[in-house]
Amino acid sequence: MTQQQANNPLHGKTLEAILNELVAYYGWPELGTRIRINCFNDNPSIKSSLKFLRKTEWARKKVEDLYISTSFVK
């Protein structure tokens, strides 16, 4: 493992796993309030959210930052 990956709190986590944990913890309404993007507020689903987040770097960064700040990272 490289030093860069040793310090990466998201190493080994897929975007889908991160999103599933956030939805389970917050629920769609609260997640949509914390990160104001339409895929969380208008007919949300894991599939549509993943499609958007994979194409939109700023939105993915917000999701990853919320995941880290929520203390899921061990």
Side-chain angles (χ1 to χ4, degrees), residues 1 3-4 16 24-25 30 32 35 37 40 42 47 50 52 55-56 58 60 62 66 69-70:
M1 183 181 299
Q3 185 63 24
Q4 180 183 10
E16 184 174 7
Y25 186 77
E30 179 64 21
I35 303 172
I37 52 178
F40 292 168
D42 185 27
K47 184 178 178 180
L50 286 173
F52 177 76
K55 293 189 300 184
T56 314
W58 64 264
R60 181 182 180 137
K62 287 184 179 239
L66 178 62
S69 71
T70 305

Side-chain angles (χ1 to χ4, degrees), residues 7-42:
N7 294 328
N8 181 354
L10 299 175
H11 181 68
K13 287 284 188 178
T14 64
L15 182 58
E16 184 174 7
I18 291 169
L19 187 57
N20 280 321
E21 286 187 54
L22 288 172
V23 170
Y25 186 77
Y26 289 112
W28 288 111
E30 179 64 21
L31 193 56
T33 300
R34 290 178 178 267
I35 303 172
R36 302 198 48 87
I37 52 178
N38 284 339
C39 66
F40 292 168
N41 292 309
D42 185 27

